[in-house]
Amino acid sequence: MPTFRNPVLPGCHPDPSICRVGADFYLVTSSFAYYPALPVFHSGDLVHWRQLTHVLNRPGQLPLQGLDVSDGVWAPTIRHHDGRFYVVSTLAVNRRGSLTFVVTADDPAGPWSDPVPLEAEGIDPSLFFDDDGRCWLTACRDAVAGGGPGELWMRELDLDRLKLVGPTHVLWHGALRGAWVEAPHLYKRDGVYHLIAAEGGTERNHSVTAARSDTVTGPYVTDPRSPLLTHRHRGPDEPVHNVGHVDLVDTPDGETWAVTLGVRPIAGTHTLGREVFLVPVTWTAHGPVFAPETGSVRLTERLPGLASARQEEVAAASRVHFDEPVLGLEWNSLRGPVTDLVRPAADGGGLEIEVTPEPLSSTGVPAFVGRRQQHVRFHAQARISFSAAHPSEEAGLTVFQNQDHHATLALTVDEGGSTQAVLTIRETGTTTRLATAPLPSGEAILAVEGDEAGYAFRVQDLGTDRWTDLAAVERSFFSTERAGGFVGVYLGLYATGNGRAGSGRARVRWFDYRPGRGAATD
Ligand code: 6LW
């Protein structure tokens, strides 16, 4: 039986939503405070995904400045109806829904419209297009009149005016007493409306629950089989945890599959964030059955029967020379565009990064670009030259969990003006210098190698070609369990004057990322 490896989208890609148009599948995930926002992926076989674009990739579309990395753009839903793609999502501030919006496009590769605000409270909006052509938005919010803590609600969306109309229908308070119910999606099968949701929170107690009704606005009755999918009862040896937040799609061959988020903890902690896993689904008179063979999300799963599937080529390893006019789609900045600060050099000789006062520890827009770490075992290195004008100026590589939790390996100068490489870690307001190495040539290869134990940092002075091992940082330092939040590790390039305006700029000739030994999707 041919199989595939889960996760199908490794690295920080939480809250996946999926739809199909003909033989093509499209998927979107949360992007939090990263810019551009809401990555859109395409697949022909549900297993291999290639990024097409971002839904929000124009300056000023959403106010992300000032936000913690784990706030921002949460839990989108993508749907297609009548030749048009729709994405609904929420801007979260201080971990609460502050603005829900809809964005549309005729082509999933864009351009997408500007976000249209909706009078919708809460988070995790979704869309359901009924047979009668009516469109319904569902979402979750604090329970208004008991029964909570949370509740799922619904209102009709006027597609011409992109405006919610008519009364609000409170649909359901969840199956698990006392647990917050979220991430609703509505599906109709054989005339029955199936409301699928997540409960228990996005950590270890995460689960998939359901309710059903014969009429779209309810009443919805709890599916007594709930939870329909969870790993909350599976012990520490289970390789996949936090399973929940699903979206379902039917294939042209009549199969149903679900995408779900999950994490791959090692010794109880995870660094890659919530990733996208693919799970088979069958249907009975009661409703969907997730992972009918095993009841669990597996790292090796049988292939979808998509006989004629067109496979997307997905390169794991890459050396980027930054000789294209714009950065690849895998590169994100924080809270806004940085095209004026971080750009491919006009002479084609790599990436230029301006020194600005904005430190990585702020909630502003630092001169930073990063890509997701997608393998626990990986190598990343960059060839960089930088001559700092002051010891507060630095430029280099960062292993970035969030603004309060990251490590930097950077070129700077000491009090005497001599160039050196400095390795520091920052944790909740405290910066600790772990190691330094003199770099008389001012040009170096900065490298970090990760595995189950930790992140080992080293530097090669290109004047002498001599490598110096600096120090290793334990892997759990960068874990969500330690740092909090909802995101995974990014590997980035940055420059800052740490509050001091600078005039210089760093030059990065190339950046290398490749999975480590045995790290297929490790
Ligand atoms: C998202 C909610 C959740 O809105 O985490 O996993 C929030 N569950 O559904 C942010 O990812």
Side-chain angles (χ1 to χ4, degrees), residues 14-15 30 32 74-75 123-124 182-183 201-202 206 245 261 274 486:
D15 314 322
S30 295
F32 305 95
W74 282 12
I123 59 170
D124 299 2
E182 58 188 5
T202 193
H206 215 188
H245 202 128
L261 72 79
R274 293 167 294 161
F486 290 132

Side-chain angles (χ1 to χ4, degrees), residues 386-476:
F386 177 59
S387 48
H390 183 276
S392 71
E393 292 189 359
E394 59 186 76
L397 202 57
T398 179
V399 175
F400 190 85
Q401 167 48 256
N402 63 42
Q403 70 273 7
D404 294 325
H405 242 89
H406 51 266
T408 58
L409 173 52
L411 276 63
T412 183
V413 289
D414 60 19
E415 296 306 330
S418 304
T419 299
Q420 58 178 356
V422 176
L423 175 63
T424 72
I425 54 171
R426 180 159 181 102
E427 181 167 30
T428 43
T430 306
T431 296
T432 311
R433 183 171 279 204
L434 297 181
T436 65
L439 276 181
S441 74
E443 183 160 20
I445 294 179
L446 306 175
V448 56
E449 190 172 325
D451 64 13
E452 290 77 357
Y455 294 68
F457 295 86
R458 50 206 303 256
V459 57
Q460 181 187 37
D461 181 339
L462 289 173
T464 62
D465 285 350
R466 198 160 51 80
W467 279 100
T468 304
D469 291 329
L470 295 167
V473 179
E474 61 174 321
R475 186 187 52 77
S476 62

